[in-house]
Amino acid sequence: MSRTILVTGGSNGIGRAIAQQFVEAGDRVIITGRTSNRLRATAESLGCEHIRSDAGNPDDVAALFDELNGHVDVLVNNAGGFAPRPTNEEENPINATASQWMENLRLNLLSAVLMTTACQPRLRPGSAVIHLGSIGAEYAGNAYSTAKAALAAWNAGLSAQLGPNGITTNVIAAGYIEDTDLFHGGMRDERRAKLIAATHDKRAGDAADIAATAFFLASPGARHITGQTIHVNGGAHTTR
Ligand SMILES: NC(=O)c1ccc[n+]([C@@H]2O[C@H](COP(=O)([O-])OP(=O)(O)OC[C@H]3O[C@@H](n4cnc5c(N)ncnc54)[C@H](OP(=O)(O)O)[C@@H]3O)[C@@H](O)[C@H]2O)c1
């Protein structure tokens, strides 16, 4: 039976690969994103639905659920990324720090909280919620990585809340995934080589690696997996 899958940030990179995997399985897929042209083009090429919406904007999130009919079987909170560096760093470092942290928290934490809260009445027993976290949450102390760490902490509590209703919620913590726009074309060769060297399988991740994990977490075989952070990074971070 066809399921309804809602993927935030589905117009590019990992979100696009996740959407494609569910479309190919015959599910009804709705993708969101902030940039209308790219969103429309991706939806046309995948053969799925689209709704323009900023996952970190409460009004956009409310409007999205006004437009969307019916229940949601799988919510993928994929939207996220690095907030742009503030332009006023030198003349007002405190203001610049505040705006950079607030924006990273909005893009990577609040987005998932708002989407999940608005979607909760549409979820039903058997539904799955999946969030995109990062390996950076284990090591880095910057605003982006801290927001991803908070996302994983929040997910654990959310699991206790949704679990009694038969709904699972998990984080996929991705390692370095190639061919996305996350780094805005700024990944240097030396840094890339270092990230690959840190893996056990000596390769960069692919968006399809994450899509396959999301597909599994939404499958009947994963119904007893909830409240977890699943690391997909070729061994670059191990939990033991
Ligand atoms: N690539 C990696 O190595 C890597 C590693 C760890 C974690 N991740 C995480 O994986 C997720 C996907 O990243 P990606 O690498 O696929 O990046 P990407 O290629 O830049 O794709 C991001 C997608 O999300 C959309 N988006 C961004 N902010 C949004 C918002 N507030 N509301 C709605 N849509 C939004 C973008 O479209 P618009 O800009 O048009 O909105 C785009 O479709 C992110 O959460 C990222 O932090 C990526």
Side-chain angles (χ1 to χ4, degrees), residues 8-15 32-36 38 53-57 77-82 106-108 111 132-135 144 148 172-184:
T8 67
S11 62
N12 200 63
I14 293 169
T32 76
R34 296 166 300 182
T35 316
S36 299
R38 180 163 71 164
S53 177
D54 180 341
N57 178 312
N77 288 316
N78 164 79
F82 304 127
R106 188 182 76 80
L107 289 176
N108 295 290
S111 55
L132 253 296
S134 171
I135 189 174
Y144 167 80
K148 294 294 195 189
I172 301 175
Y176 170 48
I177 306 296
E178 219 149 44
D179 298 328
T180 82
D181 285 348
L182 182 73
F183 301 98
H184 305 293

Coordinates of all heavy atoms in Angstrom, one line a residue, residues 8-15 32-36 38 53-57 77-82 106-108 111 132-135 144 148 172-184, ligand 1:
T8 N 11.5 17.3 4.1 CA 11.9 18.7 4.1 C 13.3 18.8 3.4 O 14.2 17.9 3.5 CB 12.0 19.3 5.5 OG1 13.1 18.7 6.2 CG2 10.7 19.1 6.2
G9 N 13.5 19.9 2.7 CA 14.8 20.1 1.9 C 15.0 19.0 0.9 O 16.1 18.5 0.7
G10 N 13.9 18.6 0.2 CA 14.0 17.5 -0.8 C 14.4 17.9 -2.2 O 14.4 17.1 -3.1
S11 N 14.7 19.2 -2.3 CA 15.1 19.6 -3.7 C 16.5 19.4 -4.1 O 16.9 19.6 -5.3 CB 14.7 21.1 -3.9 OG 15.5 21.9 -3.0
N12 N 17.3 19.0 -3.2 CA 18.8 18.8 -3.5 C 19.4 17.7 -2.6 O 18.9 17.4 -1.5 CB 19.5 20.1 -3.4 CG 20.8 20.1 -4.2 OD1 20.8 20.0 -5.4 ND2 21.9 20.2 -3.5
G13 N 20.6 17.3 -3.0 CA 21.5 16.5 -2.1 C 20.8 15.3 -1.5 O 20.1 14.5 -2.1
I14 N 21.0 15.1 -0.2 CA 20.5 14.0 0.6 C 19.0 13.9 0.5 O 18.4 12.8 0.3 CB 21.0 14.0 2.0 CG1 22.5 13.9 2.1 CG2 20.3 13.0 2.9 CD1 23.2 14.2 3.4
G15 N 18.3 15.0 0.7 CA 16.8 15.0 0.7 C 16.3 14.5 -0.6 O 15.3 13.8 -0.7
T32 N 9.8 19.6 0.3 CA 9.7 21.0 0.5 C 11.1 21.6 0.3 O 12.1 20.9 0.2 CB 9.3 21.3 2.0 OG1 10.4 21.0 2.9 CG2 8.1 20.5 2.4
G33 N 11.2 22.9 0.2 CA 12.4 23.7 0.1 C 12.0 25.2 0.0 O 10.8 25.5 -0.1
R34 N 13.1 26.0 0.1 CA 12.8 27.5 0.1 C 12.8 28.1 -1.3 O 12.2 29.1 -1.5 CB 13.8 28.2 1.0 CG 13.7 27.7 2.5 CD 15.0 28.2 3.2 NE 16.2 27.6 2.6 CZ 17.4 27.8 3.1 NH1 17.6 28.5 4.2 NH2 18.4 27.2 2.5
T35 N 13.5 27.5 -2.2 CA 13.7 28.1 -3.5 C 12.8 27.4 -4.5 O 13.0 26.2 -4.9 CB 15.2 27.9 -4.0 OG1 16.0 28.2 -2.9 CG2 15.5 28.8 -5.1
S36 N 11.7 28.2 -4.9 CA 10.6 27.6 -5.7 C 11.1 26.9 -7.0 O 10.7 25.8 -7.3 CB 9.6 28.7 -6.1 OG 9.1 29.2 -4.9
R38 N 14.0 25.6 -8.1 CA 14.7 24.3 -7.9 C 13.7 23.2 -7.4 O 13.8 22.1 -7.8 CB 15.9 24.5 -7.0 CG 16.7 23.2 -6.8 CD 18.0 23.4 -6.2 NE 18.0 23.9 -4.8 CZ 19.1 23.8 -4.1 NH1 20.3 23.4 -4.5 NH2 19.1 24.3 -2.8
S53 N 8.3 25.8 1.3 CA 8.2 26.1 2.8 C 9.6 26.1 3.4 O 10.4 25.3 3.1 CB 7.3 25.0 3.4 OG 7.2 25.2 4.8
D54 N 9.8 27.1 4.3 CA 11.0 27.2 5.1 C 10.7 26.4 6.4 O 9.9 26.9 7.2 CB 11.4 28.6 5.3 CG 12.6 28.8 6.2 OD1 13.0 27.9 6.9 OD2 13.2 29.9 6.2
A55 N 11.4 25.3 6.6 CA 11.1 24.5 7.8 C 11.4 25.2 9.1 O 10.9 24.8 10.2 CB 11.9 23.2 7.7
G56 N 12.2 26.3 9.1 CA 12.5 27.0 10.3 C 11.6 28.2 10.5 O 11.9 29.0 11.4
N57 N 10.6 28.4 9.7 CA 9.7 29.6 9.8 C 8.3 29.1 10.2 O 7.7 28.4 9.5 CB 9.7 30.2 8.4 CG 8.7 31.4 8.4 OD1 7.6 31.4 8.9 ND2 9.2 32.5 7.9
N77 N 12.9 15.0 8.5 CA 13.4 16.3 8.8 C 14.9 16.4 8.3 O 15.8 16.3 9.1 CB 13.3 16.6 10.3 CG 11.9 16.8 10.7 OD1 11.1 17.5 10.1 ND2 11.5 16.2 11.9
N78 N 15.0 16.6 7.0 CA 16.3 16.6 6.4 C 16.8 18.1 6.2 O 18.1 18.3 6.2 CB 16.2 16.0 5.0 CG 17.4 16.3 4.1 OD1 18.4 15.7 4.2 ND2 17.2 17.3 3.2
A79 N 16.0 19.1 6.1 CA 16.4 20.5 5.9 C 17.4 20.9 6.9 O 17.2 20.6 8.1 CB 15.2 21.4 5.9
G80 N 18.4 21.5 6.5 CA 19.5 22.0 7.4 C 20.7 22.4 6.7 O 20.7 22.4 5.4
G81 N 21.7 22.9 7.4 CA 22.9 23.3 6.8 C 23.6 24.4 7.6 O 23.1 24.8 8.7
F82 N 24.7 24.9 7.0 CA 25.5 25.9 7.7 C 24.8 27.3 7.5 O 24.6 27.7 6.4 CB 26.9 26.0 7.2 CG 27.7 24.7 7.3 CD1 28.3 24.2 6.1 CD2 27.7 24.0 8.5 CE1 29.0 23.0 6.2 CE2 28.4 22.8 8.5 CZ 29.0 22.3 7.4
R106 N 18.1 27.7 14.4 CA 16.9 27.8 13.6 C 16.9 26.8 12.4 O 15.9 26.0 12.2 CB 16.7 29.2 13.1 CG 15.3 29.4 12.5 CD 15.1 30.8 11.9 NE 15.8 31.0 10.6 CZ 15.3 30.6 9.5 NH1 14.2 30.0 9.4 NH2 16.0 30.8 8.4
L107 N 18.0 26.7 11.7 CA 18.1 25.9 10.5 C 18.1 24.4 10.9 O 17.6 23.5 10.1 CB 19.3 26.2 9.7 CG 19.3 27.6 8.9 CD1 20.6 27.8 8.2 CD2 18.1 27.6 7.9
N108 N 18.8 24.0 11.9 CA 19.1 22.6 12.2 C 18.4 22.0 13.4 O 18.3 20.8 13.5 CB 20.6 22.5 12.4 CG 21.4 22.8 11.2 OD1 21.4 22.1 10.2 ND2 22.1 24.0 11.2
S111 N 13.9 23.9 13.1 CA 13.2 23.4 11.9 C 12.6 22.0 12.1 O 11.4 21.8 11.8 CB 14.2 23.3 10.7 OG 15.3 22.5 11.0
L132 N 17.9 14.4 10.1 CA 19.3 14.4 9.6 C 20.2 15.1 10.6 O 20.2 16.3 10.8 CB 19.4 15.0 8.2 CG 19.6 14.1 7.1 CD1 20.9 13.3 7.2 CD2 18.4 13.0 7.1
G133 N 21.0 14.3 11.3 CA 22.0 14.8 12.2 C 23.4 14.7 11.5 O 23.5 14.5 10.3
S134 N 24.4 14.9 12.3 CA 25.8 14.9 11.7 C 26.8 14.3 12.7 O 26.7 14.5 13.9 CB 26.1 16.4 11.5 OG 27.5 16.5 11.1
I135 N 27.9 13.8 12.0 CA 29.0 13.3 12.8 C 29.7 14.5 13.6 O 30.3 14.3 14.6 CB 30.0 12.7 11.8 CG1 31.2 11.9 12.6 CG2 30.6 13.7 10.8 CD1 32.1 11.2 11.7
Y144 N 26.8 25.0 14.3 CA 26.1 24.0 13.5 C 26.1 22.6 14.2 O 25.1 22.0 14.4 CB 26.8 23.9 12.1 CG 26.4 22.7 11.3 CD1 25.2 22.6 10.5 CD2 27.3 21.5 11.2 CE1 24.9 21.5 9.8 CE2 26.9 20.4 10.5 CZ 25.7 20.4 9.7 OH 25.4 19.3 9.0
K148 N 23.2 20.2 15.9 CA 22.9 18.8 15.5 C 23.0 17.9 16.8 O 22.3 16.9 16.9 CB 23.9 18.3 14.5 CG 23.8 19.0 13.1 CD 22.5 18.7 12.4 CE 22.6 19.0 10.9 NZ 21.3 18.9 10.3
I172 N 19.6 10.1 11.8 CA 20.7 9.6 11.0 C 21.8 10.6 11.1 O 21.6 11.7 10.6 CB 20.2 9.3 9.6 CG1 19.1 8.4 9.5 CG2 21.4 8.8 8.8 CD1 18.5 8.2 8.0
A173 N 22.9 10.2 11.7 CA 24.0 11.1 11.8 C 25.0 10.8 10.7 O 25.6 9.7 10.7 CB 24.7 10.9 13.2
A174 N 25.0 11.7 9.7 CA 25.8 11.4 8.5 C 27.2 11.9 8.7 O 27.5 12.9 9.3 CB 25.1 12.2 7.3
G175 N 28.1 11.1 8.1 CA 29.5 11.5 8.0 C 29.6 12.4 6.7 O 28.6 12.9 6.3
Y176 N 30.8 12.5 6.2 CA 31.0 13.3 5.0 C 30.3 12.7 3.8 O 30.6 11.6 3.4 CB 32.5 13.5 4.7 CG 32.8 14.2 3.4 CD1 32.2 15.3 3.0 CD2 33.8 13.6 2.6 CE1 32.4 15.9 1.8 CE2 34.0 14.2 1.3 CZ 33.4 15.3 1.0 OH 33.6 15.9 -0.3
I177 N 29.3 13.4 3.2 CA 28.6 13.0 2.1 C 28.9 13.9 0.9 O 28.8 15.1 1.0 CB 27.0 13.0 2.3 CG1 26.7 12.3 3.6 CG2 26.3 12.5 1.1 CD1 26.9 10.8 3.6
E178 N 29.4 13.2 -0.2 CA 29.8 14.0 -1.3 C 28.7 14.4 -2.3 O 27.6 13.9 -2.2 CB 30.8 13.1 -2.1 CG 32.0 13.9 -2.6 CD 33.3 13.1 -2.7 OE1 33.2 12.0 -3.2 OE2 34.3 13.6 -2.3
D179 N 29.0 15.4 -3.1 CA 28.1 15.8 -4.2 C 26.8 16.4 -3.6 O 25.7 16.1 -4.2 CB 27.8 14.7 -5.2 CG 29.0 14.2 -5.9 OD1 29.9 15.1 -6.1 OD2 29.2 13.0 -6.2
T180 N 26.9 17.2 -2.6 CA 25.7 18.0 -2.1 C 26.2 19.4 -2.1 O 27.4 19.7 -2.2 CB 25.2 17.6 -0.7 OG1 26.0 18.2 0.3 CG2 25.2 16.0 -0.5
D181 N 25.3 20.3 -1.8 CA 25.6 21.8 -1.7 C 26.0 22.2 -0.3 O 26.1 23.4 -0.1 CB 24.5 22.6 -2.3 CG 24.4 22.6 -3.8 OD1 25.4 22.1 -4.4 OD2 23.4 23.0 -4.3
L182 N 26.1 21.3 0.6 CA 26.3 21.7 2.1 C 27.5 22.6 2.2 O 27.4 23.6 3.0 CB 26.5 20.4 2.9 CG 26.6 20.7 4.4 CD1 25.3 21.2 5.1 CD2 27.2 19.5 5.2
F183 N 28.6 22.3 1.5 CA 29.8 23.1 1.7 C 29.9 24.3 0.7 O 31.0 24.9 0.6 CB 31.0 22.1 1.6 CG 31.0 21.0 2.6 CD1 30.5 19.8 2.2 CD2 31.4 21.2 3.9 CE1 30.5 18.7 3.1 CE2 31.3 20.2 4.8 CZ 30.9 19.0 4.5
H184 N 28.8 24.5 0.0 CA 28.8 25.6 -1.0 C 30.0 25.6 -1.9 O 30.6 26.7 -2.2 CB 28.7 27.0 -0.3 CG 27.5 27.0 0.7 ND1 26.2 27.0 0.2 CD2 27.4 27.0 2.0 CE1 25.4 27.0 1.3 NE2 26.1 27.0 2.4
Ligands
LIG1 N1 26.5 16.6 3.0 C1 27.1 16.2 4.2 O1 28.3 15.9 4.2 C2 26.2 16.1 5.4 C3 26.8 15.6 6.6 C4 26.1 15.5 7.8 C5 24.8 16.0 7.8 N2 24.3 16.6 6.7 C6 22.9 17.1 6.8 O2 22.1 16.6 5.7 C7 21.0 17.5 5.4 C8 21.0 17.7 3.9 O3 22.2 18.4 3.5 P1 22.8 18.2 2.1 O4 24.2 17.9 2.3 O5 21.9 17.4 1.2 O6 22.7 19.8 1.6 P2 22.2 20.5 0.3 O7 22.7 19.8 -0.9 O8 22.5 21.9 0.5 O9 20.6 20.3 0.4 C9 19.9 21.0 1.4 C10 18.4 21.0 1.0 O10 17.6 21.5 2.0 C11 16.9 22.7 1.6 N3 16.8 23.6 2.7 C12 17.8 24.1 3.4 N4 17.3 24.8 4.5 C13 15.9 24.7 4.4 C14 14.9 25.2 5.2 N5 15.1 26.0 6.2 N6 13.6 24.8 4.9 C15 13.4 24.0 3.8 N7 14.3 23.5 3.0 C16 15.6 23.9 3.3 C17 17.7 23.2 0.4 O11 16.9 23.9 -0.6 P3 16.7 25.5 -0.4 O12 18.1 26.1 -0.1 O13 16.1 25.9 -1.7 O14 15.7 25.7 0.7 C18 18.1 21.8 -0.2 O15 17.1 21.2 -0.9 C19 21.3 18.7 6.3 O16 20.5 18.7 7.4 C20 22.8 18.6 6.6 O17 23.1 19.3 7.8 C21 24.9 16.6 5.5

